Amino acid sequence: ADFDSKKKRKVAEIYQALNSDPIDVAALRRMAISEGGLLTDEIRCKVWPKLLSVNTDDLPPLPGKELRENNKDYQQVLLDVRRSLRRFPPGMPDDQREGLQEELIDIILHVLKRNPQLHYYQGYHDIVVTFLLVVGDRLATALVEKLSTHHLRDFMDPTMDNTKHILNYLMPIIDQVNPEVHDFMQSAEVGTIFALSWLITWFGHVLSDFRHVVRLYDFFLACHPLMPIYFAAVIVLYREQEVLDCECDMASVHHLLSQIPQDLPYETLISRAGDLFVQFPPSELAREAAQQQAERTAASTFKDFELASVQQRPDTVLRQRFRERLRGEERTKSILTKPRTNRFVKLAVMGLTVALGAAALAVVKSALEWAPKFELQIFP
């Protein structure tokens, strides 16, 4: 009964944010981050476009079959989509699934044709099919195009350099929280390739329960583009004992970590990922994560992307929530990091940043205007 009343209250708050004038995107982001996410696919159809600033009144027309003629990506996309059977609900009639697979091919080719700077990668279809199943083909096309030119842009470069750079954030995050696990993984020389499919598919390829996939998509759509790598880090940290009990060699540790458990405590891990993002924002980790490439990634140039003023809000939401938790709990229990002499200095600075961020964002919120060069000083 308590769960039902909380769910009803949350649904009411989401619709209140959707119906406000202007739409309260900051509140929608809070709803997407907080426990349970956006709750239903019906709500996601309404909220996901707001999180990505997609105008649902001006959707692209459905592509014609000429898209497939002389298309350099068609054969590879076709092969990947044919292999995507398990991404569709079990028990779905074959003709319905085959129809959706045809739509999936068309969405991918449409986005690639309209954005020739983007390059297809294996795993991209795992993200696209999630949007197709939740919102349908026309809206999925618009959402995927916006996502591909922003959050996923680094994965769609001609080379994997920027994808590797983003993976390089994983070990510094782990080191900040649990240096023992970090050192063990370094000794095993396992690297970060085990997390590649997690990152480039937003976990869509490796999680079998669709409910968990869309819950993570709620979270990632409401946050900074690097949040999936923080979530990858908390999965490794959650499995601390398994990792330390493993043989300290590359094959053993890679095998363990690449087999992702399906019964993860998702809400707890989402909360921890948010906390770690607040404590160790990308700007602090960038030097360790190969500084020479930092200027070229979507994650580090995020303030220049047209949605910067809106997209930064979840980071402030997470900071505020974290600061409130610190007030109400013993600090030793609420902080996930190893003891460090500068911890309380860091938290004091963090509190100041929250105040400055809230002030800056209040100015933006009044009109909800896009501001490509709006200089938010919270994160790079």
Side-chain angles (χ1 to χ4, degrees):
D2 184 49
F3 174 77
D4 286 343
S5 64
K6 281 172 66 176
K7 183 175 177 180
K8 284 178 183 174
R9 188 160 62 247
K10 186 168 191 179
V11 169
E13 289 174 1
I14 291 170
Y15 278 100
Q16 182 180 351
L18 283 168
N19 294 328
S20 64
D21 187 15
I23 291 169
D24 190 346
V25 179
L28 294 177
R29 292 187 183 285
R30 281 196 299 276
M31 299 297 111
I33 292 168
S34 63
E35 187 176 359
L38 296 173
L39 302 172
T40 70
D41 286 353
E42 181 184 357
I43 291 174
R44 290 183 178 101
C45 288
K46 295 179 170 66
V47 175
W48 281 4
K50 308 306 178 193
L51 299 183
L52 285 173
S53 187
V54 167
N55 182 1
T56 54
D57 296 327
D58 187 27
L59 296 177
L62 291 174
K65 296 303 176 190
E66 71 279 356
L67 257 182
R68 305 185 182 199
E69 296 170 9
N70 302 316
N71 189 301
K72 64 181 177 63
D73 296 301
Y74 174 59
Q75 288 302 324
Q76 185 60 59
V77 172
L78 180 64
L79 285 172
D80 289 347
V81 168
R82 281 179 176 166
R83 286 195 294 258
S84 66
L85 295 183
R86 69 180 194 82
R87 290 304 318 278
F88 294 88
M92 176 179 279
D94 287 349
D95 56 345
Q96 185 183 355
R97 174 184 47 75
E98 288 165 6
L100 286 168
Q101 286 179 306
E102 293 300 309
E103 292 174 5
L104 179 56
I105 292 169
D106 286 341
I107 293 170
I108 293 170
L109 296 180
H110 178 77
V111 172
L112 293 173
K113 184 175 182 181
R114 280 172 51 89
N115 300 274
Q117 78 279 15
L118 301 177
H119 295 75
Y120 177 76
Y121 64 88
Q122 287 184 281
Y124 180 67
H125 70 288
D126 284 301
I127 287 185
V128 181
V129 73
T130 304
F131 283 89
L132 173 61
L133 290 171
V134 173
V135 304
D137 55 351
R138 284 194 71 197
L139 183 50
T141 303
L143 296 181
V144 166
E145 181 168 11
K146 179 61 70 77
L147 197 70
S148 301
T149 53
H150 294 112
H151 288 66
L152 306 180
R153 193 194 73 206
D154 293 320
F155 309 146
M156 305 188 78
D157 280 348
T159 71
M160 285 190 64
D161 289 350
N162 284 340
T163 302
K164 290 175 186 171
H165 172 66
I166 293 171
L167 280 170
N168 286 342
Y169 280 79
L170 183 67
M171 295 305 289
I173 298 168
I174 293 170
D175 186 35
Q176 292 286 354
V177 181
N178 192 323
E180 185 183 5
V181 170
H182 171 272
D183 294 349
F184 182 90
M185 291 173 67
Q186 291 287 71
S187 298
E189 299 182 342
V190 69
T192 57
I193 204 72
F194 66 86
L196 176 63
S197 65
W198 305 358
L199 178 68
I200 65 175
T201 69
W202 277 11
F203 297 84
H205 183 72
V206 292
L207 297 181
S208 56
D209 192 325
F210 193 69
R211 293 172 306 165
H212 298 150
V213 175
V214 293
R215 172 65 187 103
L216 286 180
Y217 278 43
D218 292 341
F219 180 48
F220 296 152
L221 286 170
C223 289
H224 189 285
L226 273 181
M227 192 56 84
I229 205 69
Y230 282 80
F231 192 79
V234 298
I235 290 177
V236 175
L237 292 163
Y238 172 74
R239 303 182 72 191
E240 167 192 0
Q241 204 53 54
E242 288 178 86
V243 173
L244 296 177
D245 288 346
C246 193
E247 291 291 326
C248 189
D249 64 74
M250 192 258 286
S252 301
V253 180
H254 177 85
H255 178 74
L256 171 74
L257 290 174
S258 60
Q259 306 296 311
I260 194 167
Q262 296 297 314
D263 59 346
L264 294 167
Y266 292 94
E267 294 300 336
T268 301
L269 296 185
I270 284 169
S271 180
R272 286 182 181 175
D275 289 344
L276 289 183
F277 187 93
V278 168
Q279 288 178 276
F280 309 109
S283 55
E284 277 194 22
L285 303 173
R287 283 183 297 280
E288 293 180 66
Q291 190 176 13
Q292 68 274 13
Q293 289 194 28
E295 297 302 315
R296 298 208 301 268
T297 63
S300 62
T301 58
F302 195 54
K303 64 188 175 189
D304 292 334
F305 136 39
E306 64 175 318
L307 305 181
S309 58
V310 177
Q311 291 278 17
Q312 294 289 359
R313 284 187 201 140
D315 309 336
T316 303
V317 169
L318 290 166
R319 286 177 178 276
Q320 289 168 332
R321 189 193 68 189
F322 188 75
R323 187 173 64 161
E324 287 162 6
R325 185 187 302 176
L326 286 180
R327 286 177 180 159
E329 299 178 2
E330 292 177 16
R331 294 185 181 218
T332 53
K333 292 179 182 176
S334 64
I335 296 175
L336 297 170
T337 56
K338 58 187 176 182
R340 288 175 181 259
T341 54
N342 66 345
R343 180 194 295 164
F344 293 108
V345 174
K346 186 188 301 255
L347 290 171
V349 172
M350 189 189 304
L352 178 62
T353 311
V354 171
L356 292 174
L361 292 167
V363 175
V364 185
K365 184 178 177 182
S366 60
L368 265 182
E369 294 172 347
W370 310 142
K373 300 295 180 183
F374 190 80
E375 291 296 323
L376 289 167
Q377 299 300 324
I378 307 173
F379 302 114

